[in-house]
Amino acid sequence: MVSLAVAGLLTLGVQAAPSQGDVSKEINLITNAATAVVAGLQAKINAGTLPAEEADAGKLRQAFLEQFRKLANADFQQAPDPKLEEIRKAFAEAFDAVTGRYRSDMVKGGQDAFVPAFFRAQLLELFNKQANGKYQAIVTTRPSELINRDSAPDKIIADKAVLDFVAGLLDKGEMEPKSTQIDQRLVSYWPMRIAEPCATCHLRNGLEQKVGAFGGATIVVVEPKF
């Protein structure tokens, strides 16, 4: 029989399975890391001066890995759990697919030829498809600050309970992350701040916002059996 003391020692190295909250945090963090890559290239894309080698698949993927390491203080390729590894793999594949599809647009450039918000929408659309209903991530904001009505909360959130939770936080410009359980699903609200490339682009479209101000949120829904 194994003593309690020995049994305790044997379990010290066991990694606990990620919670719904861990998964939500991971999805938000990876989304931010991926979006930061395009945001960092925005000035060159808009000016039409992005060298083709900087839009190379390998260069972009490396920039993605570096952004993740910067935000998470961890190596993207060393996931601590199979579930998180699955999520990272899906995001990496989506990242490569979207940047590959629009590489020529990035290099050709021109004003707002390929903006972070468009990239992020395409990225999450592919990720959500690969998730097969286990988790979903979307980005939205309050209707008064939308440039594209297609991304309005009521257009992309079908569940009324989820919509009510999200809309209330968006309406008051809540700047702190919030989560709630709805039918055993974890619904998380991850607020964003307006960055320089976004503020400049939005101003050209008639929406005046200050850098650092409320800029909508990433909404992540994690099913109980993910």
Side-chain angles (χ1 to χ4, degrees), residues 152-176:
D154 61 336
K155 290 281 188 179
I156 57 179
I157 301 176
D159 187 292
K160 186 179 185 304
V162 175
L163 177 61
D164 288 346
F165 169 69
V166 171
L169 295 170
L170 291 173
D171 286 347
K172 66 178 183 179
E174 177 59 59
M175 294 299 290
E176 293 296 324

Side-chain angles (χ1 to χ4, degrees), residues 9-220:
L9 289 174
L10 291 175
T11 59
L12 285 177
V14 176
Q15 178 72 39
S19 65
Q20 288 173 296
D22 293 332
V23 169
S24 179
K25 181 179 180 181
E26 181 86 358
I27 290 172
N28 178 62
L29 192 150
I30 300 175
T31 300
N32 289 340
T35 306
V37 174
V38 177
L41 299 173
Q42 196 62 51
K44 291 181 180 179
I45 293 173
N46 285 354
T49 59
L50 180 68
E53 56 268 24
E54 288 191 34
D56 173 77
K59 286 275 191 180
L60 292 173
R61 171 67 82 90
Q62 186 58 38
F64 174 38
L65 299 181
E66 289 174 359
Q67 285 292 340
F68 179 88
R69 187 178 297 109
K70 178 181 177 181
L71 293 177
N73 194 29
D75 190 334
F76 184 87
Q77 296 170 313
Q78 295 180 356
D81 178 272
K83 290 289 185 182
L84 300 184
E85 182 178 10
E86 177 185 80
I87 290 170
R88 293 183 189 187
K89 180 181 179 183
F91 261 110
E93 291 175 355
F95 179 89
D96 289 344
V98 176
T99 53
R101 183 186 307 161
Y102 294 99
R103 184 168 291 114
S104 61
D105 296 295
M106 296 170 71
V107 174
K108 182 179 179 181
Q111 200 67 65
D112 304 328
F114 188 69
V115 299
F118 175 78
F119 161 76
R120 183 177 55 214
Q122 298 298 308
L123 177 80
L124 293 181
E125 181 179 349
L126 283 183
F127 171 75
N128 290 336
K129 287 179 180 178
Q130 293 185 57
N132 293 319
K134 290 182 289 187
Y135 8 79
Q136 181 188 27
I138 60 170
V139 173
T140 187
T141 192
R142 44 195 173 195
S144 62
E145 295 177 346
L146 278 170
I147 292 175
N148 182 356
R149 175 68 183 145
D150 289 343
S151 61
D154 61 336
K155 290 281 188 179
I156 57 179
I157 301 176
D159 187 292
K160 186 179 185 304
V162 175
L163 177 61
D164 288 346
F165 169 69
V166 171
L169 295 170
L170 291 173
D171 286 347
K172 66 178 183 179
E174 177 59 59
M175 294 299 290
E176 293 296 324
K178 303 290 181 181
S179 292
T180 191
Q181 293 283 157
I182 299 177
D183 297 329
Q184 296 187 300
R185 296 167 295 166
L186 182 71
V187 182
S188 297
Y189 166 97
W190 298 98
M192 302 180 297
R193 294 182 183 274
I194 294 292
E196 176 57 46
C198 304
T200 302
C201 174
H202 293 179
L203 183 60
R204 284 193 294 271
N205 286 274
L207 181 61
E208 186 172 354
Q209 295 173 309
K210 294 182 179 180
V211 174
F214 175 76
T218 301
I219 311 303
V220 181

